Amino acid sequence: MTAAAPGRRPGPVTVRVPAKVNVQLAVGGRRPDGFHDLANVFLAVGLYDEVTATPADTLTLTCSGPDADQVPLDASNLAARAATALAARHGLEPRVHLHIAKDIPVAGGMAGGSADAAAALLACDTLWGTHTSRDELLALCAELGSDVPFSLVGGAALGRGRGELLEPLPVGGTFHWVFAVADGGLSTPAVYKECDRLRDATGQGATTADIPDPEPSPALLAALRTGDPAALAAALDNDLQPAALSLRPSLAATLTAGTAAGALAALVSGSGPTTAFLAATPEDADRIATTLRTSGTCRTARPTTGPAPGATVVSGA
Ligand code: ATP
C-alpha cells in the first residue's frame, strides 16, 4: 500500500459537524435480526464537533472538550473506524492524526460519535485527495452506523430502515431549541432493550408481528415544511422516551422544568439522556436555557437553532 494518493494535501483539514435531534422517532417491532425498523425524522442542530485531520506516520487520535475523558481513543472510536474504512477503500494506510474538539454531549442521544465518523471521512478524503464520490461517502457512512449518513447530509431528513436510508426533507424556517445536557450517558442498545421490555410488559408484544410498521407523521412533515413551531411542537414524538425515562427517571423533572419555563414542547433527544425543548422565539430559548441551568435538573442547557448544515470543511480545503 502507498502512503497516500496523488493530490494529497499537506496541511491540516478541519471539518465541522452538527448534532441531531429526532423530531420523530417511530420504532417498529424487534426484527428477527434484533434491529428495529424506524421512521426517523432527523433535524441537524447547531451544537458542533470539529475533527481535524493532520498527516502522521500512523493513525492516532486525541480529543478535547468537557466530556473528552468519556471518548475512547482506541480503534473503537468511530472517527478512527471511518479513517480506516476510507483508507481501505482506496488501498491506502490510514496515516493520519485525528483531533476531535468535542462539544456534542457524549452518549447523549445526539449522535456525537456518528457525527465524528462523518467528519473524519470528509476530513481524510480532503487531506488525502481521494475525491470519493458523494454516493460512495454515503455508502461508507451507512456501513459505519445508521446515524452516520445523516451527519454528512445535515438539514432535515427522513430515515427509514434502521435509519440509514435517507430522504432529505424541506424545512420552511429556523426552529429555536434548548438542549439540557444530563450527567452521564445512556447506552443506545440498552434503551432499545428497555423499549422492548416495556412493550412486552404491557402485553402489547415487542416484535414486528405485534407493532405496526413505523410511519412518518404527515402533520410533522407539514410543520417542518411550513416552519411553524407550534405545529411542530404538537407533532414531536419519540417512541424511545418511555424507555429512556424508565432507565433515567430523573429526566421527568428536566422535562417538567423546561415546560414550566415556557417551552412549546419537551422531549427526550433520541435515546437520551439529553432532553430537547422547542421554543417559540430566540428570546424564549435563552430564557428557558437560563431557567434550566439553575433548576438543578441538568448539568447545563444550551440554546441553539435547527436545521444546521451537515459536515463541512471549515479550513484546509
Ligand atoms: P446516538 O444518538 O447515535 O445513539 P449517542 O449520541 O447517544 O448516539 P455517542 O456520543 O455517539 O452516543 O456515543 C456512544 C458511545 O460510542 C460512547 O459511549 C463511546 O463509548 C462510543 N464512541 C465511539 N466513538 C466515539 C466518538 N467519536 N465520540 C463519542 N463517543 C464515541
Side-chain angles (χ1 to χ4, degrees):
M1 291 204 222
T2 54
R8 67 175 263 184
R9 291 165 194 277
V13 175
T14 298
V15 170
R16 192 173 80 147
V17 66
K20 60 84 186 162
V21 61
N22 307 81
V23 287
Q24 184 188 0
L25 181 45
V27 179
R30 189 182 53 244
R31 305 190 316 207
D33 65 4
F35 288 104
H36 299 75
D37 281 323
L38 305 175
N40 195 345
V41 182
F42 296 103
L43 182 71
V45 294
L47 304 184
Y48 298 98
D49 282 358
E50 284 191 355
V51 175
T52 299
T54 309
D57 290 340
T58 57
L59 177 57
T60 53
L61 204 59
T62 50
C63 183
S64 59
D67 288 345
D69 59 334
Q70 294 162 49
V71 176
L73 294 178
D74 58 14
S76 72
N77 189 295
L78 274 170
R81 290 181 44 207
T84 303
L86 182 73
R89 168 75 188 74
H90 293 287
L92 305 174
E93 290 289 348
R95 300 190 196 285
V96 67
H97 174 73
L98 296 173
H99 179 75
I100 303 170
K102 190 133 204 74
D103 197 36
I104 302 174
V106 176
M110 299 195 79
S114 302
D116 297 345
L121 274 183
L122 191 56
C124 290
D125 191 48
T126 308
L127 181 74
W128 295 335
T130 33
H131 303 292
T132 313
S133 71
R134 194 75 174 168
D135 282 353
E136 275 180 284
L137 281 178
L138 283 170
L140 281 167
C141 285
E143 284 168 26
L144 289 161
S146 47
D147 286 352
V148 183
F150 179 70
S151 299
L152 189 70
V153 170
L158 171 62
R160 305 300 294 262
R162 284 164 51 194
E164 78 287 8
L165 309 167
L166 276 188
E167 181 191 321
L169 293 173
V171 183
T174 298
F175 294 100
H176 300 279
W177 292 91
V178 179
F179 291 93
V181 181
D183 275 322
L186 272 177
S187 144
T188 304
V191 175
Y192 275 96
K193 213 169 144 203
E194 180 67 0
C195 174
D196 290 342
R197 191 190 70 76
L198 290 175
R199 284 173 168 177
D200 274 328
T202 57
Q204 179 186 21
T207 70
T208 47
D210 307 309
I211 306 285
D213 286 342
E215 291 297 337
S217 148
L220 181 113
L221 299 183
L224 285 177
R225 218 169 29 241
T226 55
D228 179 344
L232 183 62
L236 293 172
D237 196 17
N238 179 1
D239 282 353
L240 290 182
Q241 181 156 318
L245 285 169
S246 169
L247 294 176
R248 190 71 69 84
S250 61
L251 294 181
T254 322
L255 294 172
T256 303
T259 308
L264 296 173
L267 86 168
V268 170
S269 178
S271 53
T274 306
T275 41
F277 303 86
L278 185 60
T281 64
E283 295 75 23
D284 281 0
D286 284 340
R287 227 180 347 261
I288 294 162
T290 304
T291 305
L292 279 168
R293 271 185 225 118
T294 54
S295 69
T297 66
C298 59
R299 172 150 59 99
T300 188
R302 312 271 308 268
T304 187
T305 60
T312 307
V313 177
V314 290
S315 70

